[in-house]
Amino acid sequence: MTAPDAPTGRTAFVLGGGGVLGAVEVGMLQALFEHGIHPDLIVGSSVGAINGALVAADPGPGAVDRLRAVWEQLASQQIFAGSVLGRMSTLARTRTHVHPPEPLRNLLETHLPVRTFAELRVPFQCVAASIERAAEHWFSEGPLVDAVLASSAVPGLLPPVELDGEHYLDGGLVHSIPVGRAVALGADTVYVLHVGRIDRPLQPPTRPWEVATVAFEIARRHRYAADLAALPPGVTVHVLPSGDADPPGTANLRYRNFSGVAGRIDRAHAAADGYLARAATRADGEG
């Protein structure tokens, strides 16, 4: 889908993917709002689509409270719960995934105060990967929950989402941190909310389970790096720190472990708050 024409001079929040590590985006959002920074546009991918849709519906401190409630529910009710036998039973029945989509759908329908993109208070787009076209697809209109589910349909964990005869998987497959999309939509100030792995150098895999993780990290990072390298003049990008000195590189293998959610939110809040305070000081000095 071609980016529509949009006015320049806009502030965008770009929320990347990263599974359970996406809790850090809640802390970053809290810091942004506390510093009086509000979005004119929100772009999200995968778990960033979940966080982003909730913020677009209520772009203020109330969104942070709602997001904290969502992540607490993810931790307490274990949306990806189930015994090994139950997950294997689902896989045997479906042959494609180990979790049903209904718990995540119910969570979104409970916490999202609107049902369509048109009802959002801030323009919002999320990306998913089209299976049939092997291409990215951007959702910007129509039913909101369906689009967010498509963007967060992790292969093997959740089923593809069928919309209008086309099947979609997780947006992280094609655009994990979509800075370029925000710029194409007219943003000239971009705040990047990411889960913390992009600033850690990759190493060759040494264990069988690391092979897929390293391969996916290459795929997700090269598009992001290309977007940053191609920024046009006049665009400022702020990459907010996650607060994790050593974020787990095999998070996808521990996608059901929500035990560290509260700590991740608090560390990201503190780190982002410090970054924004320093950025404001520099801006005052230059002014």
Side-chain angles (χ1 to χ4, degrees):
M1 181 184 295
T2 302
D5 292 336
T8 59
R10 304 205 298 172
T11 295
F13 290 178
V14 174
L15 293 89
V20 66
L21 299 183
V24 303
E25 296 174 354
V26 182
M28 295 172 180
L29 288 164
Q30 181 181 352
L32 285 164
F33 291 133
E34 289 173 350
H35 282 263
I37 301 169
H38 297 269
D40 302 306
L41 167 70
I42 299 172
V43 179
S45 177
S46 193
V47 72
I50 296 175
N51 292 334
L54 283 155
V55 175
D58 179 20
V64 174
D65 294 336
R66 182 175 284 113
L67 274 169
R68 281 185 177 270
V70 168
W71 281 92
E72 288 171 1
Q73 190 170 341
L74 282 168
S76 63
Q77 297 189 6
Q78 296 183 334
I79 298 300
F80 295 118
S83 65
V84 174
L85 181 61
R87 297 196 298 274
M88 291 304 99
S89 175
T90 300
L91 179 60
R93 184 178 69 257
T94 66
R95 297 185 293 179
T96 59
H97 56 277
V98 298
H99 294 289
E102 286 77 16
L104 182 55
R105 176 181 288 277
N106 292 339
L107 180 71
L108 291 171
E109 291 178 343
T110 297
H111 288 278
L112 273 170
V114 302
R115 290 292 174 263
T116 67
F117 280 84
E119 298 172 90
L120 294 170
R121 292 172 58 188
V122 172
F124 167 70
Q125 294 192 8
C126 62
V127 65
S130 165
I131 293 177
E132 284 83 359
R133 292 183 291 111
E136 65 187 66
H137 178 89
W138 286 93
F139 293 95
S140 59
E141 59 185 10
L144 183 60
V145 170
D146 287 342
V148 173
L149 286 173
S151 185
S152 52
V154 181
L157 300 186
L158 293 167
V161 173
E162 182 179 0
L163 296 172
D164 298 325
E166 195 165 354
H167 297 81
Y168 299 97
L169 284 172
D170 192 282
L173 296 172
V174 288
H175 220 334
S176 187
I177 309 175
V179 172
R181 183 66 175 186
V183 173
L185 290 169
D188 59 11
T189 301
V190 179
Y191 290 89
V192 176
L193 289 71
H194 66 99
V195 302
R197 298 199 303 259
I198 57 174
D199 47 11
R200 188 176 69 170
L202 286 176
Q203 301 293 332
T206 58
R207 300 175 179 87
W209 57 85
E210 293 177 347
V211 174
T213 301
V214 171
F216 180 71
E217 280 296 302
I218 293 171
R220 73 191 294 269
R221 293 187 193 194
H222 98 276
R223 181 73 181 269
Y224 170 66
D227 277 357
L228 293 184
L231 289 176
V235 174
T236 301
V237 175
H238 297 275
V239 181
L240 299 183
S242 69
D244 268 336
D246 187 26
T250 56
N252 290 338
L253 300 179
R254 296 192 295 272
Y255 70 95
R256 298 169 64 240
N257 182 7
F258 287 85
S259 61
V261 160
R264 287 194 184 104
I265 293 175
D266 291 341
R267 288 191 297 273
H269 171 249
D273 176 67
Y275 172 91
L276 294 170
R278 292 189 296 274
T281 299
R282 288 194 300 270
D284 289 342
E286 293 171 358

